[in-house]
Amino acid sequence: MEWLKQMQSALDLIENSMEERIGIEEIARAATSSPFHFQRMFHMVTGMTVGEYMRKRRLTLAAQELVMSSTKVLDVALKYGYDSPESFAKAFRKIHGIAPSQARMVGVNLKAFPRITFQLTLKGDQDMNYQIVEKEAFIVAGKAIQTTCEDGQNLRDITRFWEESHRNGLVNRLCSVISDRNVLGVITGMELGDETFTYLIAGRTETTDIPDEFVLMTIPAANWAIFTSVGPMPGAIQRLFNRIYQEWFPATGYEHAGTPELEVYPPGDTTAEDYRCEVWIPIVKK
């Protein structure tokens, strides 16, 4: 399938550039994709950001070189893109649990992160109900947290954020200022290209006169691919996100528009097996 060839071309470029500085724009071009769409697809398919994957691969190769040669630690650090022995040692220790100077010690255990490959599995055992809808820009009010994709920290942070927001009454207070009954999860900031992003618990509003605890954000006009999730939170919607990126995008002629994504939660028992909510993904034709 064409999508697999494109992603494999990007992986080949990454692997052949371990000793060079390469930007996400060049990598995305190899996949004939926008930088944002490539990064979002990569993260959803692999569970790692592009930057995280490249760090792990470079530090794997660096460890192998330290073990198998007499090259100085400083030279290895510079070869794999680190500007100083200190920054290299910090990253090396985070992955391998030891200092680079200890890598040559007999019996030391090192981590290895093999090169990944992409595979597309066409399951066909469950329909994906969706519709394409064009909507004008609108304003949301809500409360935000910063989180990171690294090591899946975002899943833990966002789950905790929702639990705390129900417990401390934030969701109830928000419902008193929004213009409909739906509570939103807003994912934004990924277009900046790093591993951190902003997540808001929010709702659509028709007024800018809101309590100080909330912030306002404009959701740009977009064509939305709207998918229905059925099942208890947060598992059902997380599985739906995975299917959108692993199955739907590769099989269609669309890519992510690079603007905020929405989770749309109607009133109801979010722990029920038949709870229905939606995922809104802004899209453009390739």
Side-chain angles (χ1 to χ4, degrees):
M1 192 173 186
E2 192 64 25
W3 178 83
L4 288 176
K5 293 178 181 178
Q6 293 167 351
M7 297 300 279
Q8 195 59 51
S9 295
L11 279 178
D12 291 343
L13 178 60
I14 289 173
E15 198 66 24
N16 292 331
S17 305
M18 286 292 152
E19 299 175 21
E20 305 170 13
R21 293 187 182 275
I22 183 171
I24 189 63
E25 293 81 7
E26 185 176 352
I27 297 170
R29 276 197 301 272
T32 65
S33 170
S34 71
F36 179 89
H37 183 72
F38 177 78
Q39 290 180 100
R40 194 77 173 100
M41 286 289 293
F42 190 97
H43 176 245
M44 294 301 293
V45 171
T46 69
M48 293 180 285
T49 65
V50 177
E52 187 178 0
Y53 173 70
M54 293 181 71
R55 281 197 301 275
K56 288 179 176 180
R57 285 293 296 139
R58 282 171 170 154
L59 288 167
T60 293
L61 297 175
Q64 293 173 357
E65 186 158 342
L66 287 171
V67 170
M68 298 177 66
S69 75
S70 58
T71 306
K72 294 179 180 179
V73 170
L74 174 59
D75 292 336
V76 173
L78 295 174
K79 180 177 180 179
Y80 290 102
Y82 291 87
D83 296 327
S84 69
E86 292 77 18
S87 61
F88 177 61
K90 182 179 179 180
F92 194 94
R93 186 180 294 277
K94 185 174 182 180
I95 294 294
H96 298 289
I98 59 172
S101 59
Q102 297 175 292
R104 294 183 171 118
M105 296 173 62
V106 176
V108 165
N109 291 321
L110 296 167
K111 295 281 183 68
F113 291 90
R115 174 178 176 171
I116 63 173
T117 58
F118 286 113
Q119 294 181 340
L120 180 61
T121 302
L122 300 177
K123 298 177 182 178
D125 60 349
Q126 185 179 356
D127 293 335
M128 291 190 73
N129 297 320
Y130 74 94
Q131 54 182 320
I132 306 297
V133 177
E134 183 178 1
K135 290 195 176 287
E136 296 297 323
F138 58 93
I139 298 174
V140 300
K143 192 165 186 176
I145 61 168
Q146 296 289 121
T147 186
T148 176
C149 297
E150 189 171 1
D151 296 327
Q153 184 62 42
N154 56 305
L155 299 178
R156 296 186 291 274
D157 287 345
I158 291 170
T159 298
R160 189 181 307 115
F161 186 32
W162 276 104
E163 290 171 348
E164 291 174 353
S165 296
H166 281 289
R167 190 166 52 247
N168 64 25
L170 172 68
V171 172
N172 288 335
R173 296 193 301 276
L174 179 63
C175 288
S176 68
V177 300
I178 62 179
S179 58
D180 59 31
R181 302 181 68 198
N182 295 329
V183 177
L184 308 176
V186 181
I187 301 166
T188 185
M190 286 188 171
E191 66 275 9
L192 300 177
D194 56 22
E195 294 169 1
T196 63
F197 65 95
T198 300
Y199 184 91
L200 292 86
I201 295 177
R204 188 165 180 165
T205 182
E206 304 295 338
T207 178
T208 58
D209 184 17
I210 60 171
D212 291 341
E213 67 175 316
F214 299 130
V215 296
L216 293 172
M217 173 181 289
T218 298
I219 305 298
N223 286 316
W224 299 91
I226 300 178
F227 301 84
T228 300
S229 168
V230 181
M233 296 296 104
I237 204 165
Q238 291 173 357
R239 289 190 294 272
L240 177 58
F241 266 110
N242 288 337
R243 292 195 66 204
I244 291 168
Y245 283 93
Q246 294 175 10
E247 299 176 36
W248 188 81
F249 267 123
T252 69
Y254 293 103
E255 70 175 27
H256 202 294
T259 51
E261 299 174 356
L262 302 179
E263 304 159 358
V264 181
Y265 298 105
D269 180 3
T270 60
T271 65
E273 292 295 326
D274 61 351
Y275 179 71
R276 300 175 73 87
C277 60
E278 294 176 341
V279 170
W280 292 25
I281 306 291
I283 56 170
V284 294
K285 271 297 220 181
K286 280 191 170 182

mmCIF file of all heavy atoms in Angstrom, residues 1-12 14 27 31 38-50 53 115-121 245-246 250:
data_model
loop_
_atom_site.group_PDB
_atom_site.id
_atom_site.type_symbol
_atom_site.label_atom_id
_atom_site.label_comp_id
_atom_site.label_asym_id
_atom_site.label_seq_id
_atom_site.Cartn_x
_atom_site.Cartn_y
_atom_site.Cartn_z
ATOM 1 N N MET A 1 0.841 -1.190 0.000
ATOM 2 C CA MET A 1 0.000 0.000 0.000
ATOM 3 C C MET A 1 0.883 1.249 0.000
ATOM 4 O O MET A 1 1.957 1.272 0.599
ATOM 5 C CB MET A 1 -0.909 -0.007 1.233
ATOM 6 C CG MET A 1 -2.010 1.011 1.202
ATOM 7 S SD MET A 1 -3.151 0.794 2.598
ATOM 8 C CE MET A 1 -4.380 2.017 2.159
ATOM 9 N N GLU A 2 0.426 2.290 -0.682
ATOM 10 C CA GLU A 2 1.239 3.491 -0.859
ATOM 11 C C GLU A 2 1.651 4.111 0.468
ATOM 12 O O GLU A 2 2.777 4.604 0.620
ATOM 13 C CB GLU A 2 0.475 4.506 -1.708
ATOM 14 C CG GLU A 2 1.332 5.661 -2.188
ATOM 15 C CD GLU A 2 2.438 5.225 -3.120
ATOM 16 O OE1 GLU A 2 2.298 4.174 -3.773
ATOM 17 O OE2 GLU A 2 3.455 5.941 -3.185
ATOM 18 N N TRP A 3 0.741 4.113 1.436
ATOM 19 C CA TRP A 3 1.049 4.707 2.742
ATOM 20 C C TRP A 3 2.251 4.034 3.381
ATOM 21 O O TRP A 3 3.128 4.702 3.932
ATOM 22 C CB TRP A 3 -0.169 4.598 3.650
ATOM 23 C CG TRP A 3 0.069 5.136 5.037
ATOM 24 C CD1 TRP A 3 0.002 6.426 5.441
ATOM 25 C CD2 TRP A 3 0.438 4.372 6.204
ATOM 26 N NE1 TRP A 3 0.288 6.528 6.784
ATOM 27 C CE2 TRP A 3 0.561 5.283 7.270
ATOM 28 C CE3 TRP A 3 0.662 3.020 6.446
ATOM 29 C CZ2 TRP A 3 0.893 4.882 8.558
ATOM 30 C CZ3 TRP A 3 1.001 2.618 7.726
ATOM 31 C CH2 TRP A 3 1.114 3.547 8.761
ATOM 32 N N LEU A 4 2.315 2.705 3.278
ATOM 33 C CA LEU A 4 3.442 1.985 3.872
ATOM 34 C C LEU A 4 4.752 2.357 3.189
ATOM 35 O O LEU A 4 5.774 2.547 3.851
ATOM 36 C CB LEU A 4 3.203 0.476 3.769
ATOM 37 C CG LEU A 4 2.123 -0.110 4.672
ATOM 38 C CD1 LEU A 4 1.952 -1.592 4.383
ATOM 39 C CD2 LEU A 4 2.485 0.089 6.142
ATOM 40 N N LYS A 5 4.722 2.490 1.883
ATOM 41 C CA LYS A 5 5.935 2.864 1.158
ATOM 42 C C LYS A 5 6.407 4.251 1.569
ATOM 43 O O LYS A 5 7.608 4.495 1.737
ATOM 44 C CB LYS A 5 5.669 2.822 -0.345
ATOM 45 C CG LYS A 5 5.399 1.441 -0.904
ATOM 46 C CD LYS A 5 5.108 1.507 -2.391
ATOM 47 C CE LYS A 5 4.801 0.133 -2.964
ATOM 48 N NZ LYS A 5 4.474 0.194 -4.405
ATOM 49 N N GLN A 6 5.461 5.168 1.723
ATOM 50 C CA GLN A 6 5.818 6.537 2.096
ATOM 51 C C GLN A 6 6.422 6.591 3.498
ATOM 52 O O GLN A 6 7.448 7.257 3.724
ATOM 53 C CB GLN A 6 4.584 7.418 2.013
ATOM 54 C CG GLN A 6 4.063 7.610 0.603
ATOM 55 C CD GLN A 6 2.679 8.203 0.552
ATOM 56 O OE1 GLN A 6 2.010 8.332 1.579
ATOM 57 N NE2 GLN A 6 2.231 8.573 -0.637
ATOM 58 N N MET A 7 5.800 5.899 4.434
ATOM 59 C CA MET A 7 6.329 5.895 5.800
ATOM 60 C C MET A 7 7.674 5.187 5.859
ATOM 61 O O MET A 7 8.567 5.588 6.613
ATOM 62 C CB MET A 7 5.318 5.234 6.742
ATOM 63 C CG MET A 7 3.990 5.969 6.862
ATOM 64 S SD MET A 7 4.143 7.661 7.483
ATOM 65 C CE MET A 7 4.257 7.359 9.252
ATOM 66 N N GLN A 8 7.826 4.131 5.051
ATOM 67 C CA GLN A 8 9.098 3.420 5.041
ATOM 68 C C GLN A 8 10.206 4.297 4.473
ATOM 69 O O GLN A 8 11.351 4.265 4.941
ATOM 70 C CB GLN A 8 8.972 2.135 4.229
ATOM 71 C CG GLN A 8 10.125 1.165 4.451
ATOM 72 C CD GLN A 8 10.248 0.747 5.910
ATOM 73 O OE1 GLN A 8 9.276 0.318 6.532
ATOM 74 N NE2 GLN A 8 11.443 0.884 6.465
ATOM 75 N N SER A 9 9.865 5.115 3.480
ATOM 76 C CA SER A 9 10.860 6.050 2.922
ATOM 77 C C SER A 9 11.334 7.038 3.988
ATOM 78 O O SER A 9 12.524 7.364 4.067
ATOM 79 C CB SER A 9 10.260 6.808 1.740
ATOM 80 O OG SER A 9 9.973 5.939 0.676
ATOM 81 N N ALA A 10 10.385 7.501 4.813
ATOM 82 C CA ALA A 10 10.753 8.419 5.900
ATOM 83 C C ALA A 10 11.634 7.720 6.923
ATOM 84 O O ALA A 10 12.620 8.299 7.409
ATOM 85 C CB ALA A 10 9.489 8.958 6.564
ATOM 86 N N LEU A 11 11.315 6.475 7.247
ATOM 87 C CA LEU A 11 12.142 5.721 8.194
ATOM 88 C C LEU A 11 13.547 5.496 7.640
ATOM 89 O O LEU A 11 14.535 5.573 8.381
ATOM 90 C CB LEU A 11 11.487 4.373 8.512
ATOM 91 C CG LEU A 11 10.380 4.380 9.549
ATOM 92 C CD1 LEU A 11 9.808 2.976 9.702
ATOM 93 C CD2 LEU A 11 10.883 4.876 10.902
ATOM 94 N N ASP A 12 13.640 5.201 6.352
ATOM 95 C CA ASP A 12 14.960 5.021 5.736
ATOM 96 C C ASP A 12 15.784 6.299 5.856
ATOM 97 O O ASP A 12 16.985 6.248 6.160
ATOM 98 C CB ASP A 12 14.807 4.642 4.261
ATOM 99 C CG ASP A 12 14.225 3.241 4.069
ATOM 100 O OD1 ASP A 12 14.250 2.459 5.032
ATOM 101 O OD2 ASP A 12 13.739 2.958 2.955
ATOM 102 N N ILE A 14 15.434 8.673 8.138
ATOM 103 C CA ILE A 14 15.809 8.829 9.548
ATOM 104 C C ILE A 14 17.022 7.967 9.872
ATOM 105 O O ILE A 14 17.999 8.416 10.483
ATOM 106 C CB ILE A 14 14.627 8.461 10.463
ATOM 107 C CG1 ILE A 14 13.527 9.521 10.366
ATOM 108 C CG2 ILE A 14 15.092 8.316 11.917
ATOM 109 C CD1 ILE A 14 12.251 9.142 11.103
ATOM 110 N N ILE A 27 12.006 15.064 6.721
ATOM 111 C CA ILE A 27 11.498 13.708 6.966
ATOM 112 C C ILE A 27 10.079 13.573 6.432
ATOM 113 O O ILE A 27 9.728 12.579 5.785
ATOM 114 C CB ILE A 27 11.548 13.382 8.469
ATOM 115 C CG1 ILE A 27 12.994 13.394 8.976
ATOM 116 C CG2 ILE A 27 10.910 12.018 8.742
ATOM 117 C CD1 ILE A 27 13.121 13.310 10.478
ATOM 118 N N ALA A 31 7.840 11.247 3.238
ATOM 119 C CA ALA A 31 6.567 10.528 3.365
ATOM 120 C C ALA A 31 5.448 11.208 2.593
ATOM 121 O O ALA A 31 4.286 10.837 2.743
ATOM 122 C CB ALA A 31 6.185 10.408 4.844
ATOM 123 N N PHE A 38 2.608 13.930 9.620
ATOM 124 C CA PHE A 38 3.577 12.853 9.792
ATOM 125 C C PHE A 38 3.877 12.611 11.266
ATOM 126 O O PHE A 38 3.895 11.462 11.729
ATOM 127 C CB PHE A 38 4.877 13.168 9.048
ATOM 128 C CG PHE A 38 5.927 12.111 9.254
ATOM 129 C CD1 PHE A 38 5.864 10.921 8.553
ATOM 130 C CD2 PHE A 38 6.963 12.293 10.167
ATOM 131 C CE1 PHE A 38 6.817 9.926 8.754
ATOM 132 C CE2 PHE A 38 7.915 11.314 10.372
ATOM 133 C CZ PHE A 38 7.838 10.128 9.656
ATOM 134 N N GLN A 39 4.103 13.686 12.012
ATOM 135 C CA GLN A 39 4.418 13.520 13.430
ATOM 136 C C GLN A 39 3.260 12.892 14.193
ATOM 137 O O GLN A 39 3.455 12.031 15.059
ATOM 138 C CB GLN A 39 4.772 14.879 14.040
ATOM 139 C CG GLN A 39 6.095 15.424 13.545
ATOM 140 C CD GLN A 39 6.411 16.769 14.158
ATOM 141 O OE1 GLN A 39 7.191 16.867 15.115
ATOM 142 N NE2 GLN A 39 5.830 17.823 13.629
ATOM 143 N N ARG A 40 2.037 13.340 13.881
ATOM 144 C CA ARG A 40 0.864 12.794 14.581
ATOM 145 C C ARG A 40 0.654 11.330 14.229
ATOM 146 O O ARG A 40 0.368 10.512 15.098
ATOM 147 C CB ARG A 40 -0.379 13.624 14.204
ATOM 148 C CG ARG A 40 -1.568 13.377 15.115
ATOM 149 C CD ARG A 40 -1.413 14.089 16.430
ATOM 150 N NE ARG A 40 -2.618 14.001 17.241
ATOM 151 C CZ ARG A 40 -2.796 13.148 18.246
ATOM 152 N NH1 ARG A 40 -1.827 12.309 18.574
ATOM 153 N NH2 ARG A 40 -3.911 13.136 18.945
ATOM 154 N N MET A 41 0.790 10.981 12.965
ATOM 155 C CA MET A 41 0.667 9.587 12.544
ATOM 156 C C MET A 41 1.742 8.725 13.202
ATOM 157 O O MET A 41 1.468 7.634 13.711
ATOM 158 C CB MET A 41 0.776 9.486 11.022
ATOM 159 C CG MET A 41 -0.443 9.975 10.266
ATOM 160 S SD MET A 41 -1.863 8.868 10.434
ATOM 161 C CE MET A 41 -1.275 7.419 9.558
ATOM 162 N N PHE A 42 2.966 9.221 13.179
ATOM 163 C CA PHE A 42 4.085 8.461 13.739
ATOM 164 C C PHE A 42 3.834 8.161 15.211
ATOM 165 O O PHE A 42 4.012 7.026 15.671
ATOM 166 C CB PHE A 42 5.382 9.252 13.568
ATOM 167 C CG PHE A 42 6.625 8.478 13.901
ATOM 168 C CD1 PHE A 42 7.360 7.874 12.900
ATOM 169 C CD2 PHE A 42 7.066 8.360 15.213
ATOM 170 C CE1 PHE A 42 8.509 7.151 13.196
ATOM 171 C CE2 PHE A 42 8.210 7.648 15.527
ATOM 172 C CZ PHE A 42 8.942 7.042 14.515
ATOM 173 N N HIS A 43 3.415 9.176 15.947
ATOM 174 C CA HIS A 43 3.182 8.990 17.370
ATOM 175 C C HIS A 43 2.043 8.016 17.639
ATOM 176 O O HIS A 43 2.144 7.142 18.509
ATOM 177 C CB HIS A 43 2.868 10.333 18.040
ATOM 178 C CG HIS A 43 2.525 10.213 19.487
ATOM 179 N ND1 HIS A 43 1.281 10.525 19.980
ATOM 180 C CD2 HIS A 43 3.250 9.780 20.551
ATOM 181 C CE1 HIS A 43 1.263 10.294 21.283
ATOM 182 N NE2 HIS A 43 2.435 9.848 21.645
ATOM 183 N N MET A 44 0.937 8.131 16.904
ATOM 184 C CA MET A 44 -0.203 7.272 17.151
ATOM 185 C C MET A 44 0.047 5.828 16.732
ATOM 186 O O MET A 44 -0.493 4.895 17.324
ATOM 187 C CB MET A 44 -1.437 7.820 16.425
ATOM 188 C CG MET A 44 -1.925 9.150 16.966
ATOM 189 S SD MET A 44 -2.367 9.111 18.721
ATOM 190 C CE MET A 44 -3.791 8.030 18.690
ATOM 191 N N VAL A 45 0.894 5.623 15.730
ATOM 192 C CA VAL A 45 1.176 4.271 15.266
ATOM 193 C C VAL A 45 2.243 3.597 16.115
ATOM 194 O O VAL A 45 2.164 2.400 16.421
ATOM 195 C CB VAL A 45 1.596 4.291 13.779
ATOM 196 C CG1 VAL A 45 2.099 2.921 13.332
ATOM 197 C CG2 VAL A 45 0.422 4.719 12.909
ATOM 198 N N THR A 46 3.265 4.362 16.544
ATOM 199 C CA THR A 46 4.397 3.764 17.257
ATOM 200 C C THR A 46 4.352 3.951 18.764
ATOM 201 O O THR A 46 5.023 3.225 19.502
ATOM 202 C CB THR A 46 5.725 4.353 16.758
ATOM 203 O OG1 THR A 46 5.811 5.733 17.169
ATOM 204 C CG2 THR A 46 5.839 4.259 15.249
ATOM 205 N N GLY A 47 3.588 4.939 19.233
ATOM 206 C CA GLY A 47 3.600 5.261 20.659
ATOM 207 C C GLY A 47 4.755 6.150 21.060
ATOM 208 O O GLY A 47 4.927 6.449 22.244
ATOM 209 N N MET A 48 5.558 6.568 20.085
ATOM 210 C CA MET A 48 6.695 7.461 20.341
ATOM 211 C C MET A 48 6.607 8.664 19.420
ATOM 212 O O MET A 48 6.064 8.566 18.316
ATOM 213 C CB MET A 48 8.034 6.754 20.071
ATOM 214 C CG MET A 48 8.382 5.635 21.006
ATOM 215 S SD MET A 48 9.993 4.905 20.561
ATOM 216 C CE MET A 48 9.515 3.975 19.092
ATOM 217 N N THR A 49 7.153 9.783 19.857
ATOM 218 C CA THR A 49 7.303 10.903 18.939
ATOM 219 C C THR A 49 8.507 10.636 18.036
ATOM 220 O O THR A 49 9.349 9.770 18.329
ATOM 221 C CB THR A 49 7.526 12.213 19.694
ATOM 222 O OG1 THR A 49 8.783 12.136 20.402
ATOM 223 C CG2 THR A 49 6.396 12.478 20.694
ATOM 224 N N VAL A 50 8.594 11.380 16.940
ATOM 225 C CA VAL A 50 9.740 11.237 16.045
ATOM 226 C C VAL A 50 11.031 11.551 16.788
ATOM 227 O O VAL A 50 12.023 10.822 16.677
ATOM 228 C CB VAL A 50 9.591 12.168 14.820
ATOM 229 C CG1 VAL A 50 10.824 12.058 13.922
ATOM 230 C CG2 VAL A 50 8.327 11.828 14.031
ATOM 231 N N TYR A 53 11.971 8.711 19.186
ATOM 232 C CA TYR A 53 12.504 7.557 18.446
ATOM 233 C C TYR A 53 13.941 7.800 17.998
ATOM 234 O O TYR A 53 14.819 6.934 18.160
ATOM 235 C CB TYR A 53 11.620 7.262 17.236
ATOM 236 C CG TYR A 53 12.188 6.196 16.325
ATOM 237 C CD1 TYR A 53 12.242 4.867 16.725
ATOM 238 C CD2 TYR A 53 12.691 6.524 15.059
ATOM 239 C CE1 TYR A 53 12.766 3.887 15.898
ATOM 240 C CE2 TYR A 53 13.213 5.555 14.223
ATOM 241 C CZ TYR A 53 13.248 4.234 14.646
ATOM 242 O OH TYR A 53 13.779 3.261 13.829
ATOM 243 N N ARG A 115 15.501 -0.714 15.022
ATOM 244 C CA ARG A 115 14.790 0.057 14.008
ATOM 245 C C ARG A 115 13.368 -0.476 13.867
ATOM 246 O O ARG A 115 13.150 -1.688 13.822
ATOM 247 C CB ARG A 115 15.527 -0.056 12.682
ATOM 248 C CG ARG A 115 14.807 0.597 11.522
ATOM 249 C CD ARG A 115 15.613 0.497 10.255
ATOM 250 N NE ARG A 115 14.876 1.035 9.123
ATOM 251 C CZ ARG A 115 15.407 1.237 7.922
ATOM 252 N NH1 ARG A 115 16.684 0.956 7.716
ATOM 253 N NH2 ARG A 115 14.671 1.727 6.941
ATOM 254 N N ILE A 116 12.398 0.424 13.800
ATOM 255 C CA ILE A 116 11.019 -0.014 13.663
ATOM 256 C C ILE A 116 10.654 -0.170 12.193
ATOM 257 O O ILE A 116 11.313 0.372 11.309
ATOM 258 C CB ILE A 116 10.031 0.962 14.335
ATOM 259 C CG1 ILE A 116 10.080 2.339 13.657
ATOM 260 C CG2 ILE A 116 10.269 1.067 15.815
ATOM 261 C CD1 ILE A 116 9.014 3.286 14.163
ATOM 262 N N THR A 117 9.601 -0.932 11.944
ATOM 263 C CA THR A 117 9.020 -1.045 10.613
ATOM 264 C C THR A 117 7.521 -0.833 10.740
ATOM 265 O O THR A 117 6.929 -1.110 11.794
ATOM 266 C CB THR A 117 9.289 -2.424 9.994
ATOM 267 O OG1 THR A 117 8.758 -3.443 10.853
ATOM 268 C CG2 THR A 117 10.784 -2.654 9.800
ATOM 269 N N PHE A 118 6.915 -0.326 9.693
ATOM 270 C CA PHE A 118 5.478 -0.093 9.687
ATOM 271 C C PHE A 118 4.775 -1.253 9.011
ATOM 272 O O PHE A 118 5.204 -1.732 7.954
ATOM 273 C CB PHE A 118 5.129 1.204 8.954
ATOM 274 C CG PHE A 118 5.456 2.441 9.730
ATOM 275 C CD1 PHE A 118 6.453 3.300 9.310
ATOM 276 C CD2 PHE A 118 4.758 2.750 10.891
ATOM 277 C CE1 PHE A 118 6.755 4.445 10.027
ATOM 278 C CE2 PHE A 118 5.053 3.893 11.613
ATOM 279 C CZ PHE A 118 6.052 4.740 11.179
ATOM 280 N N GLN A 119 3.675 -1.685 9.621
ATOM 281 C CA GLN A 119 2.812 -2.678 9.017
ATOM 282 C C GLN A 119 1.376 -2.202 9.139
ATOM 283 O O GLN A 119 0.991 -1.633 10.160
ATOM 284 C CB GLN A 119 2.952 -4.043 9.707
ATOM 285 C CG GLN A 119 4.322 -4.686 9.516
ATOM 286 C CD GLN A 119 4.413 -6.035 10.183
ATOM 287 O OE1 GLN A 119 3.635 -6.353 11.076
ATOM 288 N NE2 GLN A 119 5.356 -6.832 9.745
ATOM 289 N N LEU A 120 0.602 -2.433 8.108
ATOM 290 C CA LEU A 120 -0.804 -2.036 8.110
ATOM 291 C C LEU A 120 -1.659 -3.289 8.141
ATOM 292 O O LEU A 120 -1.580 -4.130 7.241
ATOM 293 C CB LEU A 120 -1.137 -1.208 6.868
ATOM 294 C CG LEU A 120 -2.585 -0.723 6.753
ATOM 295 C CD1 LEU A 120 -2.943 0.182 7.922
ATOM 296 C CD2 LEU A 120 -2.798 -0.003 5.435
ATOM 297 N N THR A 121 -2.454 -3.435 9.197
ATOM 298 C CA THR A 121 -3.333 -4.582 9.330
ATOM 299 C C THR A 121 -4.758 -4.156 9.028
ATOM 300 O O THR A 121 -5.324 -3.324 9.735
ATOM 301 C CB THR A 121 -3.254 -5.169 10.756
ATOM 302 O OG1 THR A 121 -1.911 -5.540 11.027
ATOM 303 C CG2 THR A 121 -4.137 -6.394 10.876
ATOM 304 N N TYR A 245 -5.950 6.598 13.383
ATOM 305 C CA TYR A 245 -4.619 6.825 12.829
ATOM 306 C C TYR A 245 -4.009 5.570 12.221
ATOM 307 O O TYR A 245 -3.238 5.646 11.262
ATOM 308 C CB TYR A 245 -3.704 7.404 13.907
ATOM 309 C CG TYR A 245 -3.978 8.867 14.148
ATOM 310 C CD1 TYR A 245 -4.867 9.278 15.137
ATOM 311 C CD2 TYR A 245 -3.383 9.839 13.363
ATOM 312 C CE1 TYR A 245 -5.147 10.621 15.342
ATOM 313 C CE2 TYR A 245 -3.646 11.185 13.556
ATOM 314 C CZ TYR A 245 -4.534 11.559 14.542
ATOM 315 O OH TYR A 245 -4.806 12.889 14.730
ATOM 316 N N GLN A 246 -4.342 4.426 12.750
ATOM 317 C CA GLN A 246 -3.745 3.193 12.245
ATOM 318 C C GLN A 246 -4.523 2.584 11.085
ATOM 319 O O GLN A 246 -3.952 1.840 10.279
ATOM 320 C CB GLN A 246 -3.628 2.177 13.380
ATOM 321 C CG GLN A 246 -2.654 2.593 14.455
ATOM 322 C CD GLN A 246 -2.633 1.638 15.640
ATOM 323 O OE1 GLN A 246 -3.208 0.554 15.593
ATOM 324 N NE2 GLN A 246 -1.980 2.031 16.715
ATOM 325 N N PRO A 250 -4.583 5.883 6.873
ATOM 326 C CA PRO A 250 -3.841 5.212 5.794
ATOM 327 C C PRO A 250 -4.714 4.760 4.635
ATOM 328 O O PRO A 250 -4.214 4.582 3.520
ATOM 329 C CB PRO A 250 -3.223 3.997 6.510
ATOM 330 C CG PRO A 250 -3.138 4.395 7.935
ATOM 331 C CD PRO A 250 -4.358 5.226 8.172
#
